Amino acid sequence: ERLIEAAVAPERLANQAAGKGVETKIWIYRARSLRNADLFGGKSDPYCLAYLEGLGKRRQVVETKVIDNDPDPIWNHEQKVTWMGEGQLCFEVYDKDFGRKGDLLGEATLSKEECFRGVNTELCLGDGNGVLHVQVALIRNDVAIEVPYMPPVPKPRLQIWVLAAERLKAVNLFWGKSDPYVICQLSDSKKFQTQAIHSELNPRWEFGPQELVLESELNLQFEVRDKDLVGSSRLGM
């Protein structure tokens, strides 16, 4: 990667200085396991857009054809794209609807540095949204630099145990204690909860292990709640 970068850097800098931009070639091969956004029992009709973003602007540079009724579309779309100082390349997959852009099925972003080094891999389109296989390569002497396929880096998996708590607040009006349980979550779609333990301020759940897949989330949250007949109330987090 460093040898490739060193070889193309002088040409790239010269182009930028002359206002010509930096030429790349983008391939959008296929997507897998797209979610279904159709309301009437059919499958999504996916297509992919690509944008260059930076300098306060967003510029569409690629649009694939629409593949009807297919959660695993194959586009095999390739196109030359010139960068004019932008900082990132964004891919967005949509379900085509009549007369409008349609529902967003997933999105992924590559930095300028990643694209200029060369990319050939599957990008995650978001939790539960499937993956997108793309390739980006610099063009040198009118030929795209070869970029070998690299499998995506496995996502970290967290194994979580919820063991016990001590000296919780007593919030029950009639028995003087609480019925605590714990909600653990990375996001709205990645969470689990323990069983409730009745009338106990020093509960031991001994719950786990539970597995959550870490993507772009920044925080793992634990919330202790008191179980009520209807709803619950927070004890701490």
Side-chain angles (χ1 to χ4, degrees):
E1 289 182 354
R2 291 181 180 176
L3 290 175
I4 291 174
E5 183 72 10
V8 300
E11 180 179 341
R12 188 170 75 235
L13 293 173
N15 285 341
Q16 289 176 332
K20 296 180 181 178
V22 178
E23 280 198 327
T24 59
K25 192 168 186 180
I26 297 174
W27 292 260
I28 301 176
Y29 292 116
R30 62 174 299 167
R32 293 190 294 109
S33 303
L34 297 178
R35 63 183 179 85
N36 179 25
D38 282 359
L39 298 177
F40 302 105
K43 297 177 181 178
S44 294
D45 307 316
Y47 69 103
C48 185
L49 303 177
Y51 297 86
L52 287 176
E53 293 184 346
L55 306 175
K57 298 179 181 179
R58 191 171 199 252
R59 177 165 60 99
Q60 182 181 320
V61 292
V62 177
E63 180 173 353
T64 71
K65 62 185 177 182
V66 177
I67 306 293
D68 293 328
N69 294 311
D70 195 342
D72 304 297
I74 299 174
W75 294 291
N76 286 331
H77 183 98
E78 60 182 80
Q79 187 170 328
K80 288 183 178 180
V81 171
T82 301
W83 295 62
M84 300 299 294
E86 294 90 353
Q88 61 183 19
L89 173 64
C90 303
F91 297 94
E92 296 178 353
V93 179
Y94 287 89
D95 171 40
K96 183 66 175 179
D97 290 332
F98 181 75
R100 64 189 186 95
K101 180 183 282 188
D103 297 318
L104 180 65
L105 298 178
E107 56 190 329
T109 300
L110 294 171
S111 69
K112 174 182 69 176
E113 291 75 20
E114 290 175 304
C115 293
F116 288 0
R117 285 196 300 266
V119 174
N120 185 356
T121 193
E122 289 185 324
L123 305 175
C124 177
L125 292 170
D127 185 36
N129 292 338
V131 296
L132 178 69
H133 183 190
V134 302
Q135 181 178 344
V136 185
L138 280 169
I139 293 176
R140 187 164 182 252
N141 298 326
D142 294 323
V143 178
I145 294 173
E146 184 176 349
V147 181
Y149 175 77
M150 293 291 291
V153 177
K155 299 170 187 173
R157 295 178 177 270
L158 305 178
Q159 283 199 328
I160 304 165
W161 289 259
V162 180
L163 301 179
E166 296 180 352
R167 301 186 297 277
L168 296 178
K169 292 187 297 184
V171 296
N172 287 346
L173 295 178
F174 302 108
W175 285 269
K177 294 187 178 181
S178 298
D179 307 317
Y181 67 99
V182 178
I183 298 174
C184 175
Q185 69 175 47
L186 278 171
S187 66
D188 289 341
S189 61
K190 297 180 185 178
K191 60 185 178 181
F192 66 87
Q193 71 180 53
T194 70
Q195 74 277 16
I197 297 181
H198 297 288
S199 299
E200 181 60 68
L201 301 182
N202 299 287
R204 294 196 64 84
W205 294 283
E206 302 290 348
F207 186 89
Q210 291 287 307
E211 190 172 271
L212 296 177
V213 177
L214 183 63
E215 294 182 284
S216 59
E217 299 87 0
L218 298 177
N219 297 298
L220 177 64
Q221 177 179 294
F222 295 89
E223 181 179 9
V224 183
R225 301 191 69 88
D226 171 55
K227 182 71 173 178
D228 295 324
L229 289 176
V230 178
S232 63
S233 55
R234 179 184 294 174
L235 299 176
M237 65 182 298

